[in-house]
Amino acid sequence: MQSENLSTREKILQAATELIVDKGFKETTTKDIAASAGVSEMSVFRHFGSKKAILVAIMKQYSFEYPIENGLREQLIWELEHDLLLLAEMQYHFNLRNEKAILIRFKESKNLLACDIDVKRDPSLLKEFLVWYFDEMYAQGKILKADNEKLAIHFMSFNFGLFCNKMLDVYGPISAISKKEEIIFGAKCFARGIQP
C-alpha cells in the first residue's frame, strides 16, 4: 500500500508501528510519530487522543484472530497430514502478516498489559480449535489417545518456531531448506507421531 493512498489515521498508525518496533513505546514520542507520518502533532492527538490509544489501535489493526471461523473448518478433510499442513501454513502465514505486531507484543508486554490488551485471547482461540480438532480425530479413531491440549500447544509452538527462525533470516538463513519444505516436513512428522 502506497503512503499517498493512506488516510491520515492509517499514516499515523503505520508510522507509529515502525517507530515502536524500532525504538520502543517509551522512547517513541507523538512528535516522532507526527514527523514520520508527515502530519502535525495536533492531527495525532485529534485522531487518537494519546500515545496509549495509538498502541491499542495498532494492536487492533493487526488481526490476531486466526481465520478459524472464516472457512477454515470447511477446508478440513479429516485426513491428518492434509489438515495439519493446512493448519501449519495458516498459522505461519498469519504470523508473517502480523510480524510487526508480534514484535511489539514481545517488546511492549508491560505496556500492553497496562492498556488492558488481552494478548492471550487469540492464541487461546487457536489452541481451543486445535484441541477440538484432535478430540474429533481421536473420536474417529484417526489419532492416538493423548492429552490434546498438550498436542495443540506443541503444534502451535513448532509453527511459531518456524516463524521465529524466519525472523532470524536477516542474519542469513540457518538452512537451505525452504520454509515451505520445513512446514510440510513438520506437518508430516507431527502426523506420524500421533497416528495409531
Side-chain angles (χ1 to χ4, degrees), residues 69-175:
E69 299 302 332
N70 298 328
L72 187 61
R73 285 182 197 263
E74 291 75 23
Q75 294 179 53
L76 298 173
I77 64 169
W78 304 101
E79 191 278 300
L80 189 61
E81 198 172 297
H82 169 277
D83 291 349
L84 291 182
L85 179 57
L86 171 76
L87 293 164
E89 287 179 329
M90 176 275 304
Q91 185 183 356
Y92 179 76
H93 292 293
F94 171 86
N95 288 336
L96 284 180
R97 280 191 309 276
N98 291 289
E99 180 178 342
K100 289 182 179 157
I102 290 169
L103 289 171
I104 291 172
R105 280 184 165 196
F106 281 128
K107 286 176 87 170
E108 302 298 336
S109 56
K110 289 180 183 172
N111 287 312
L112 294 172
L113 288 171
C115 294
D116 202 29
I117 297 172
D118 183 2
V119 296
K120 292 188 329 185
R121 178 184 171 271
D122 299 314
S124 294
L125 292 175
L126 178 57
K127 182 198 76 172
E128 289 167 16
F129 179 82
L130 289 168
V131 169
W132 166 80
Y133 174 75
F134 291 135
D135 286 346
E136 291 294 318
M137 290 297 279
Y138 175 72
Q140 294 178 29
K142 294 183 177 180
I143 65 169
L144 299 168
K145 182 166 179 57
D147 181 330
N148 290 337
E149 183 175 12
K150 288 179 184 171
L151 283 180
I153 293 297
H154 282 280
F155 185 74
M156 291 170 64
S157 297
F158 168 77
N159 292 309
F160 193 72
L162 287 177
F163 164 71
C164 290
N165 284 344
K166 171 73 171 110
M167 289 174 50
L168 293 174
D169 281 354
V170 295
Y171 303 108
I174 60 172
S175 169

Side-chain angles (χ1 to χ4, degrees), residues 1-76:
M1 192 175 339
Q2 294 189 341
S3 180
E4 61 269 6
N5 295 331
L6 299 177
S7 70
T8 299
R9 180 180 172 80
E10 291 168 328
K11 287 178 186 176
I12 293 167
L13 285 176
Q14 187 177 69
T17 300
E18 295 294 333
L19 288 166
I20 293 170
V21 166
D22 290 342
K23 295 171 58 171
F25 180 74
K26 189 174 182 180
E27 291 76 19
T28 298
T29 66
T30 53
K31 198 171 283 202
D32 295 333
I33 294 168
S36 181
V39 300
S40 71
E41 192 174 12
M42 184 54 73
S43 288
V44 172
F45 285 110
R46 193 176 318 118
H47 283 275
F48 294 98
S50 71
K51 193 167 78 163
K52 271 189 176 179
I54 295 171
L55 183 60
V56 171
I58 289 169
M59 299 316 289
K60 287 183 179 176
Q61 172 187 344
Y62 289 92
S63 168
F64 273 95
E65 291 188 17
Y66 296 96
I68 293 167
E69 299 302 332
N70 298 328
L72 187 61
R73 285 182 197 263
E74 291 75 23
Q75 294 179 53
L76 298 173

